[in-house]
Amino acid sequence: MNNIEIIAHRGASAVCPENTMIAFERALELGATGIETDVQMSADGRLVLIHDETLQRTAGSEGWVKDFTYDTLRTLDAGSWFHADFAGEPIPSLEMLFNLVQGKRILLNVELKNGIVPYKGMEEKVIQVIREWNMEQQVVLSSFNHASLVKCKRIAPDIRTALLYMEKLYRPYDYAAKLEATGLHPYKLAVAKEEVTAALAQGIVTYPFTVNDPGDMELMMDMGVQGIITDLPDVLASLMTARTRSANIGIK
């Protein structure tokens, strides 16, 4: 049970503004063994961490991420929308997150947000930064854009990829193997125990998202998943500790 990865969805996004450095730092304090984040590109080709393609919801500004330079994006307030206590929290770069977790036993799930905006050269740029920071063994690249993940794999066969999907797929483990992906990241309702088992037999891990209800967390663990993506890493960590304690008592 201790081997399940606790992946903080956009950081500790239940208690901090998502995809900010304070959310990433808090996630580690709450027991996360991994962090999930979303990467997009500024107008001048910098990699920035923000979920929505537009700025309105989390940065309080009109327009699209792709249309602003990195320096301009850094001036925006990505914290006030969540709570006044976080006013002035900026949009971070991918490098800033690498600096936080480099060399630590923390898995970093970087989701390429290139399904709506076809960021030209994103795959090459992300892989270049991964190489510069020697993060090849810590990073997993995921996306709903599976063609983009295939491109990543062709550029960098040594960097892990994981397929994001919402609906149930037929034999998703075979599909993942064909795309040379090492992970499946299904929506929680698309998970089936027999598929988790079959995937693992092919060396493919399953990390469902976004699992916040304790009952759903228990269900996912009972299905044998290898990791869980959640807004509540502390809740998942507590559940895992309780299950381990119960199992140890049972053994005695």
Side-chain angles (χ1 to χ4, degrees), residues 15-34:
V15 294
C16 295
E18 63 182 56
N19 284 326
T20 59
M21 290 308 299
I22 196 166
F24 302 141
E25 292 162 4
R26 185 69 179 133
L28 301 184
E29 294 169 0
L30 293 176
T33 63

Side-chain angles (χ1 to χ4, degrees), residues 59-81:
S61 182
E62 296 296 326
W64 294 69
V65 174
K66 67 180 179 65
D67 293 330
F68 293 87
T69 64
Y70 175 73
D71 287 344
T72 299
L73 291 173
R74 288 285 292 162
T75 68
L76 301 179
D77 178 356
S80 289
W81 71 274

Side-chain angles (χ1 to χ4, degrees), residues 25-85:
E25 292 162 4
R26 185 69 179 133
L28 301 184
E29 294 169 0
L30 293 176
T33 63
I35 291 172
E36 185 271 351
T37 190
D38 308 281
V39 67
Q40 299 193 56
M41 287 177 68
S42 65
D44 50 346
R46 292 292 300 274
L47 298 170
V48 291
L49 307 182
I50 183 171
H51 177 271
D52 298 4
E53 288 80 7
T54 56
L55 296 162
Q56 183 63 53
R57 182 176 67 88
T58 60
S61 182
E62 296 296 326
W64 294 69
V65 174
K66 67 180 179 65
D67 293 330
F68 293 87
T69 64
Y70 175 73
D71 287 344
T72 299
L73 291 173
R74 288 285 292 162
T75 68
L76 301 179
D77 178 356
S80 289
W81 71 274
F82 188 85
H83 193 279
D85 289 349

